[in-house]
């Protein structure tokens, strides 16, 4: 009920909520809810109150967020936006630091459309031109070689395999970055699509 009551106070007409996630135990042991909206930026719910995160460095066109708990009750918020990948670190005292990762840093596309945190702690980011792993300050490409269009969704199964939901179909493959030694040219990725007969065509009839 808290979310349903609070959201209308924050979200104005024309604001579409695309992502939501729950943070760790900060602010005296309480939980913080994070909501990313397209055109209206990032907001947090703490102690029953909504507050906009008014940081000029964060693009207001948010597509996805992932909350990574840190030691000492702090948290790092990964924010996929229309202008790249942003990170917001908020310590237990509430101090905020913001960093930005873009195509210049190795992202395959300008916009980041999907995010997920993998079992090993790395962040997988789906962009407007493929996917990448972000880990230890490094950005490395993952996924099949060749154009696959927008990566709208990313998931990881218990066997460690990644699934990418893209403009050109659903792909499954290893959570390992591209290398120069890739004999088959697609890194062991499989494609499932209506065109290949692997997926059923949807219909509204």
């Amino acid at each position: 009920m808290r979310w349903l009551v609070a959201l209308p106070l924050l979200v104005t007409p024309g604001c579409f909520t695309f992502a939501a996630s729950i943070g760790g135990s900060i602010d005296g042991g309480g939980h913080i809810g994070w909501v990313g909206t397209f055109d209206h930026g990032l907001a947090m719910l703490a102690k029953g109150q909504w507050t906009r995160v008014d940081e000029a460095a964060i693009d207001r066109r948010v597509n996805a967020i992932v909350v990574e708990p840190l030691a000492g009750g702090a948290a790092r918020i990964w924010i996929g936006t229309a202008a790249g990948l942003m990170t917001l670190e908020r310590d237990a005292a509430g101090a905020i630091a913001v960093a930005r990762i873009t195509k210049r840093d190795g992202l395959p596309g300008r916009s980041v459309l999907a995010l997920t945190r993998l079992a090993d702690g790395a962040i997988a980011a789906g962009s407007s031109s493929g996917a990448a792993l972000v880990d230890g300050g490094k950005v490395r490409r993952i996924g099949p070689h060749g154009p696959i269009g927008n990566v709208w969704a990313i998931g990881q199964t218990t066997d460690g395999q990644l699934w990418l939901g893209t403009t050109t179909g659903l792909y499954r493959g290893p959570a390992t970055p591209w290398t120069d030694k890739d004999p088959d040219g697609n890194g062991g990725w499989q494609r499932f699509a209506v065109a290949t007969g692997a997926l059923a065509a949807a219909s509204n009839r």
Side-chain angles (χ1 to χ4, degrees), residues 66 115-125 132-135 142 154-157 160-164 174-176:
V66 165
L115 292 172
T116 194
R117 189 176 181 217
L118 304 184
D120 63 1
I123 297 294
L133 283 182
V134 184
D135 188 26
I142 57 172
I154 303 178
Q156 185 180 38
T157 49
Q161 292 284 290
L162 287 187
W163 290 80
L164 305 180
T176 52

Side-chain angles (χ1 to χ4, degrees), residues 19 66 81 83 98-99 152 159 182:
V66 165
T81 78
V98 178
W152 297 107
D159 61 0
D182 187 11

Side-chain angles (χ1 to χ4, degrees), residues 51-136:
T51 305
R52 291 186 187 276
V53 180
D54 191 16
E55 292 286 332
I58 300 176
D59 191 278
R60 295 171 67 86
R61 299 162 296 174
V62 178
N63 295 312
I65 57 176
V66 165
V67 178
E68 176 186 358
L70 301 177
R76 179 182 294 120
I77 317 302
W78 297 83
I79 311 162
T81 78
L85 179 61
M86 317 285 176
T87 61
L88 180 151
E89 291 196 26
R90 188 175 190 275
D91 64 22
I96 288 177
V98 178
R100 182 179 177 188
I101 301 170
T102 68
K103 282 189 71 173
R104 294 181 179 180
D105 303 301
L107 287 178
R110 171 181 168 81
S111 299
V112 173
L113 307 171
L115 292 172
T116 194
R117 189 176 181 217
L118 304 184
D120 63 1
I123 297 294
S127 81
S128 49
S129 298
L133 283 182
V134 184
D135 188 26

Side-chain angles (χ1 to χ4, degrees), residues 15-51:
C15 178
F16 302 95
T17 302
F18 277 158
S21 189
I22 302 299
S25 56
I26 54 181
D27 278 2
H31 284 82
I32 287 186
W34 298 89
V35 172
T37 64
F38 199 81
D39 290 344
H40 288 263
L42 188 69
M44 65 179 182
L45 173 64
K47 299 179 181 178
Q49 298 293 322
W50 281 103
T51 305

